[in-house]
Amino acid sequence: MTISSSERIDVGILGATGTVGQQFIRLLDRHPWFRPAWLAASERSEGRAYLEAAAWRLPSSIPAGIADQRVEACVPGRGPKLVFSGLDAGAAQDIEPAFAAAGHVVVSNARSFRMEARVPLVIPEVNADHLTLIAHQRRERGWTGALVTNPNCSTVVLSIVLAALRPFGLSRVMVTTLQAVSGAGYPGVPSLDILGNVVPFIAGEEEKIESETRKILGAIQDDAVVPHPMAVSAQTTRVPVIDGHTETVAVAFERAPSIADARAALAQFRGRPQELELPTAPAAPIVYLDAPDRPQPRLDADRGCGMSVTVGRLRTCAVLDLKLVALGHNTVRGAAGAAILNAELMKVDGWL
Amino acid sequence: MTISSSERIDVGILGATGTVGQQFIRLLDRHPWFRPAWLAASERSEGRAYLEAAAWRLPSSIPAGIADQRVEACVPGRGPKLVFSGLDAGAAQDIEPAFAAAGHVVVSNARSFRMEARVPLVIPEVNADHLTLIAHQRRERGWTGALVTNPNCSTVVLSIVLAALRPFGLSRVMVTTLQAVSGAGYPGVPSLDILGNVVPFIAGEEEKIESETRKILGAIQDDAVVPHPMAVSAQTTRVPVIDGHTETVAVAFERAPSIADARAALAQFRGRPQELELPTAPAAPIVYLDAPDRPQPRLDADRGCGMSVTVGRLRTCAVLDLKLVALGHNTVRGAAGAAILNAELMKVDGWL
Amino acid sequence: MTISSSERIDVGILGATGTVGQQFIRLLDRHPWFRPAWLAASERSEGRAYLEAAAWRLPSSIPAGIADQRVEACVPGRGPKLVFSGLDAGAAQDIEPAFAAAGHVVVSNARSFRMEARVPLVIPEVNADHLTLIAHQRRERGWTGALVTNPNCSTVVLSIVLAALRPFGLSRVMVTTLQAVSGAGYPGVPSLDILGNVVPFIAGEEEKIESETRKILGAIQDDAVVPHPMAVSAQTTRVPVIDGHTETVAVAFERAPSIADARAALAQFRGRPQELELPTAPAAPIVYLDAPDRPQPRLDADRGCGMSVTVGRLRTCAVLDLKLVALGHNTVRGAAGAAILNAELMKVDGWL
Amino acid sequence: MTISSSERIDVGILGATGTVGQQFIRLLDRHPWFRPAWLAASERSEGRAYLEAAAWRLPSSIPAGIADQRVEACVPGRGPKLVFSGLDAGAAQDIEPAFAAAGHVVVSNARSFRMEARVPLVIPEVNADHLTLIAHQRRERGWTGALVTNPNCSTVVLSIVLAALRPFGLSRVMVTTLQAVSGAGYPGVPSLDILGNVVPFIAGEEEKIESETRKILGAIQDDAVVPHPMAVSAQTTRVPVIDGHTETVAVAFERAPSIADARAALAQFRGRPQELELPTAPAAPIVYLDAPDRPQPRLDADRGCGMSVTVGRLRTCAVLDLKLVALGHNTVRGAAGAAILNAELMKVDGWL
């Protein structure tokens, strides 16, 4: 699946100066299909060069050609048809529907509409078929564009693991997260709170994991998603790590697999992005490591260019059936990379 | 319960130069009942002044009177009747029984004998009655001394929480730990492994939590402990924190309490150390914090001079009944302080 | 020098809810002379209980009796005669002179007036005689109160070291600081900036060190301070440490001492707080450690209850004469503790 | 300068399983000229597959083709002509000369022979002409091979900066380093020593910086290096950073340049590796950043694939003439990458 570079599609980025916006720009640099041609942010940034408007916090440099682009206001109707949204939830609430109404296809990382009935909440390897909600969305809202979302950064990691284990009948799931500070944006977590410390609370995070996971793994019936009936219980903590959310997971099944079968299901799991060889798709959505002390965020978060979830320590659980440790890159697979993969799938499936 | 300072009992410390040994010395400085009079360590240290033999790593200074003491070899029969053991498991295997056989009362933090049938594994607030195993131990082994142990540092935190909730019938327990590096001793965890990282594995730790907790909460029947029948499943991780193990805990009960009743049971929990006003006993074994983001190791590990477990975030669980976050100081309540409290109880109960 | 507890003087705290304000409250709890009786902060906090108005970030609990006090507005004329100021520089600019004009003795940690000609910038061990500027201040400004300041947190550490070496004739001084995040207040330094990182810039800090140090070590001539003629050059960095500023220092002298003489001068240095046995004075302003790898913030910042500067690694320098490493607790000796020691000296010297 | 891949030269690695050895393997993967064909380590590893013998600690995976290679013993005469040495100093002392005597060209990162009169201590951008010492080395020792070294990781950063400023006449240099933990190897620095802490001491490091820098910037006269006459004074500290040594530097010159001239000299500095376009040479040896708070290790250590030194904050100094902050990647430019660049230069200059 290749598109010649001369055919790159112009895309816009809402919230281009923020943390997620910066990741969009980094990941779209040299993207074979999409070209970041329109950068929009709040009025404060309007008219300024991107270099000045954004406090660039990534180790890599601002891509050539971006630094001097003027940042524009988030005005619906302006900019390309496809826009990625890295807006925060407050801004997304009004801006995203206005763009969808004006004919834009909004591929959003914001949490605002994830749980709306007609808004697909998609991980391409897990529930690519949920994109069919777009037809119902357009009819119900009268939109010519569309609004599609990706899950919360912790939810992605858990959902991909659960999707691989879905054949055994998911029944009950417990997860404790150890989340990196980059998930909180910038300035985000004060250093006095997290240096040498653990904060066992992230506002709204446990609720998001519990509800989003059941929607993602749910089934389309007519014009809506019926959430998966499994019980999900999450405890979330913040730890002094820059990138990479670690999750201890325990699962009870309807038909509990052996360790060997569960390991094979995890390691061999593939989805439509791998079939279609989408540009941002990792070769394997899940990398299983047999070393006893992995995955670790510093060593494993970047696997598959940040798009693979790494799993290890699969073993039996005295309370549920199996337990394991999973890890994913929260600002790549858990944010901007997730949205880009969604857009790639939408392009191939004819939604753009 | 006071004993005048002139009556302080001489005590010995096995493994006095190590990490736990240093904590014994720190905590026994100005102890009203016990006076560290005999410091023993491996042959490498024998004959040297404590100051030179120990690489003191604690923020406080070596107590006056200790720095110049000669370190002796761990020879049974020498030293006071009461000896605390901060030996590592390998050394403890042979040395501790030899001391007990020679008439010493060994109050040990080592893991070697915790799960032995005739060895009490004691948290004074939880299972003070297990000390009666000493009589069976003496008869079976022919010892004139005794060997008593305290649990692993993560187990203490969990067991105190569970003891407070025991009236509701403990059925199933899941715990994920986020453990501090001081639990691994010195040099312990390499900085390259843990700076900005999480290591989701601590050798043997999950097994210890699962087995020790059930023994501690078990019942004495005749001359042995019948482990508590509850199922316990643990996942353990190491995080970049100096002191204080954080644990996310979920519990299913036979008679699930309301949040209010569980909160009251936690906050009002008291044990024999509080009744007896033992010198090292905290006013409350559990401090319950209502702030939404507590407990945190940097802010809460030192509560009750490191002897209180702090609990917060009590809420319902979609999989089990209740979930909460608990925290304890791993080198105080989880190691040297635990052993000292055991010895205090043993003194009052006439075992010394 | 003791004053019976019944005679404790009521004191006020301006900026009581902030980071420095919290340290004032912590350090004044059980102070033998001063009782925090009046807590003032911005209008946002006015009328609220201290517990609610302040986001208490210290490991110790809010002292009893403080939690329920009402926070008042910073209105000159209200509150006790002696007020400590933990205001930030912007607020201090207007509020502190207004209080001094209204008859209050303002003992301030803010940077706003430190370099004013008639404002004493005092470290009691170093330049107690600079308090005589108060007389000129009152005459010039027509104040019935007074305004006295303590230096910036990095400056205190350096100045105390230099004061001890002053007998050898200070000529040129170079310092690089490695500063803790607590020096930046709360929320202060974002964790994304400092976790596993160094930020080699702190706005205005180098200038403060260079100018304040020369004023503190300067001589009173008539009604002003003539700055010390030595050259001072500072480089400042932020490191991932909670409390404790480390400084590498090199000094050229007019009469370069031997290592032994310099070491003796440092270890034996005493000032008026030690003579007077002021309540907050450490036994020794400087603790010299001979271990090759000290001082270290985690192990040494709390020496002398945070009021001692720790020095080590004294050795010859190939460019200047001597070099050494110094360390001080930035929120105690470098902020609230510095102001309290100033107030204690002022009380004894009859300025209150 | 290209060599077709089919012509890649086989190279050996002494100490292949250690921290520096792992970096050699990572950096030589896909190297256009050199192919790691022979892996040697201590007897403990002999005969084992590399995967098993090395505790691989790098985020990237072991390159294909390396994992299964057998590790051999360090026996002179075996293995390719060109061998890189990542041996520690103790092992290097005997092994490296034996290899050079047996006809190998040893390009070493070990400190053992850096200061030997006939051993070139080379940074290709700074003193490429020092390679001519090899002729004298061969004559004096009777070697058919050779031994060439690169400097200590902190010295490289400083020396490159000083080389750029050399035209202004270097007179006196002061440097304080804030060094990453990866410089100490594995297990290296215990986490208890460095989490939230600074250790102001690294054994032997200050002496190395002071002596190596003067040799590198010295001039070849006949068959030896006359050290540069400038005075160099170093203070070294360890900070909780994974990769990247930060250095605060101050310099006095014979002909002090303006800030603008110094900035230009830094930014425009180039050396023979850039002229020759050596494969591992960065486009610019020094990247100058104008942002007020740079360089920072987390954001800048990887510039030029870890081979560029980043400099910022150039400003006047009240004691010497100019001061600045410099940063380099300690395990790339400061270790394995330095040796590889040396070997590339030696190949082009005909020394292999």
Side-chain angles (χ1 to χ4, degrees), chain C residues 176-178 193-194 196-201 206 235-240 248, chain D residues 152-158 161 174-183 198-199 202 205 209 234-250 289 292-302 308-313 315 324-331 334:
Chain C
T176 289
T177 66
L178 295 82
D193 281 343
I194 202 67
N197 202 20
V198 168
V199 179
F201 177 69
E206 296 173 356
Q235 305 213 49
T236 56
T237 73
R238 187 80 69 189
V239 292
T248 64
Chain D
N152 165 277
C153 48
S154 322
T155 304
V156 176
V157 177
L158 179 63
V161 168
M174 296 206 62
V175 60
T176 290
T177 66
L178 296 82
Q179 301 189 210
V181 296
S182 62
V198 168
V199 179
I202 302 172
E205 192 81 356
I209 295 173
Q235 305 214 49
T236 57
T237 73
R238 187 80 69 190
V239 292
V241 165
I242 291 286
D243 289 317
H245 288 357
T246 306
E247 308 188 0
T248 64
V249 179
L289 297 180
D293 60 352
R294 302 291 273 269
Q296 296 178 17
R298 195 169 76 75
L299 300 179
D300 299 314
D302 281 331
S308 289
V309 169
T310 310
V311 175
R313 303 210 64 221
R315 58 217 191 282
L324 56 84
V325 179
L327 168 77
H329 195 301
N330 54 297
T331 67

Side-chain angles (χ1 to χ4, degrees), chain B:
Chain B
M1 184 86 218
T2 55
I3 297 185
S4 80
S5 159
S6 59
E7 299 173 60
R8 280 174 81 193
I9 302 168
D10 281 359
V11 302
I13 300 173
L14 301 170
T17 56
T19 306
V20 177
Q22 294 182 18
Q23 286 285 4
F24 274 123
I25 286 170
R26 183 179 75 83
L27 293 171
L28 290 173
D29 185 37
R30 310 194 186 184
H31 191 280
W33 297 357
F34 304 138
R35 194 175 68 85
W38 187 75
L39 309 178
S42 65
E43 292 178 6
R44 196 178 52 247
S45 300
E46 191 183 349
R48 300 169 67 192
Y50 184 79
L51 176 69
E52 291 159 23
W56 189 261
R57 305 303 312 167
L58 299 176
S60 52
S61 300
I62 300 182
I66 294 290
D68 296 332
Q69 279 192 35
R70 292 287 127 191
V71 176
E72 305 201 18
C74 293
V75 179
R78 295 200 194 148
K81 180 170 186 189
L82 173 60
V83 293
F84 291 101
S85 168
L87 293 169
D88 60 33
Q93 190 70 37
D94 292 332
I95 295 175
E96 291 183 357
F99 270 76
H104 298 275
V105 173
V106 181
V107 181
S108 171
N109 181 61
R111 70 162 187 272
S112 314
F113 299 99
R114 287 180 193 148
M115 296 304 298
E116 290 274 310
R118 302 290 172 269
V119 175
L121 176 61
V122 175
I123 303 171
E125 284 92 342
V126 178
N127 63 337
D129 60 314
H130 287 205
L131 287 178
T132 57
L133 283 179
I134 297 173
H136 304 291
Q137 179 191 82
R138 285 175 171 167
R139 192 168 52 240
E140 184 180 287
R141 306 283 183 109
W143 289 348
T144 51
L147 173 55
V148 171
T149 62
N150 59 268
N152 165 277
C153 48
S154 322
T155 304
V156 176
V157 177
L158 179 64
S159 295
I160 289 176
V161 168
L162 293 178
L165 300 173
R166 184 159 40 179
F168 307 111
L170 302 167
S171 166
R172 282 167 297 153
V173 177
M174 295 205 63
V175 60
T176 290
T177 66
L178 295 82
Q179 301 189 211
V181 297
S182 61
Y186 186 85
V189 183
S191 55
L192 272 173
D193 282 342
I194 202 68
L195 265 175
N197 202 20
V198 168
V199 179
F201 177 69
I202 302 171
E205 192 82 356
E206 296 174 356
E207 294 78 0
K208 283 184 231 168
I209 296 174
E210 297 179 358
S211 60
E212 293 180 9
T213 303
R214 296 180 60 229
K215 177 172 179 180
I216 293 163
L217 287 151
I220 291 281
Q221 286 193 357
D222 304 325
D223 59 353
V225 175
V226 178
H228 193 289
M230 67 184 163
V232 180
S233 176
Q235 304 213 51
T236 56
T237 74
R238 186 80 68 191
V239 293
V241 165
I242 291 287
D243 289 318
H245 288 357
T246 306
E247 308 188 1
T248 64
V249 179
V251 187
F253 300 93
E254 291 167 15
R255 300 168 299 280
S258 67
I259 297 289
D261 287 352
R263 189 197 175 291
L266 291 161
Q268 294 162 15
F269 179 64
R270 297 292 183 277
R272 290 203 64 219
Q274 287 73 39
E275 286 170 33
L276 298 169
E277 296 182 20
L278 298 178
T280 299
I286 296 174
V287 172
Y288 190 90
L289 297 180
D290 288 306
D293 60 352
R294 302 290 274 269
Q296 296 178 17
R298 195 170 76 75
L299 300 179
D300 299 313
D302 281 331
R303 287 181 182 268
C305 297
M307 289 298 287
S308 289
V309 169
T310 311
V311 176
R313 301 210 66 222
L314 185 65
R315 59 216 192 283
T316 57
C317 175
V319 169
L320 304 183
D321 292 318
L322 292 180
K323 50 192 181 185
L324 56 83
V325 178
L327 169 78
H329 196 300
N330 53 296
T331 66
V332 181
R333 176 53 101 158
I340 294 171
L341 192 63
N342 279 351
E344 291 169 2
L345 176 65
M346 291 170 74
K347 174 167 175 50
V348 174
D349 282 358
W351 292 106
L352 297 192

Side-chain angles (χ1 to χ4, degrees), chain A residues 57 185-187 189-193, chain C residues 57 185-187 189-193:
Chain A
R57 305 305 310 169
Y186 186 84
V189 183
S191 54
L192 272 173
D193 282 342
Chain C
R57 306 304 311 166
Y186 186 85
V189 184
S191 53
L192 272 173
D193 281 343

Side-chain angles (χ1 to χ4, degrees), chain C residues 278-349:
Chain C
L278 298 179
T280 299
I286 295 174
V287 173
Y288 190 90
L289 298 180
D290 288 306
D293 60 352
R294 302 290 273 269
Q296 297 178 16
R298 194 169 79 73
L299 299 179
D300 299 314
D302 282 331
R303 286 181 184 268
C305 298
M307 290 298 287
S308 288
V309 169
T310 311
V311 176
R313 302 208 67 221
L314 185 65
R315 58 216 191 282
T316 58
C317 176
V319 170
L320 303 184
D321 291 318
L322 291 179
K323 49 191 181 184
L324 55 84
V325 179
L327 168 78
H329 196 301
N330 53 297
T331 67
V332 180
R333 176 53 100 159
I340 294 171
L341 192 63
N342 279 351
E344 292 169 1
L345 176 65
M346 292 170 72
K347 175 167 175 48
V348 173
D349 281 359

Side-chain angles (χ1 to χ4, degrees), chain D residues 88-105:
Chain D
D88 59 34
Q93 190 69 36
D94 293 332
I95 294 175
E96 291 183 356
F99 270 75
H104 298 273
V105 174

Side-chain angles (χ1 to χ4, degrees), chain D residues 1 123-132 269-279 281-282 285 341 344-351:
Chain D
M1 182 84 216
I123 302 171
E125 284 92 343
V126 179
N127 63 338
D129 60 314
H130 286 205
L131 287 178
T132 57
F269 179 64
R270 297 292 182 278
R272 289 203 66 221
Q274 286 73 39
E275 284 169 34
L276 298 169
E277 296 183 20
L278 297 178
L341 192 63
E344 291 169 1
L345 176 65
M346 291 170 73
K347 175 166 174 50
V348 173
D349 281 358
W351 292 106

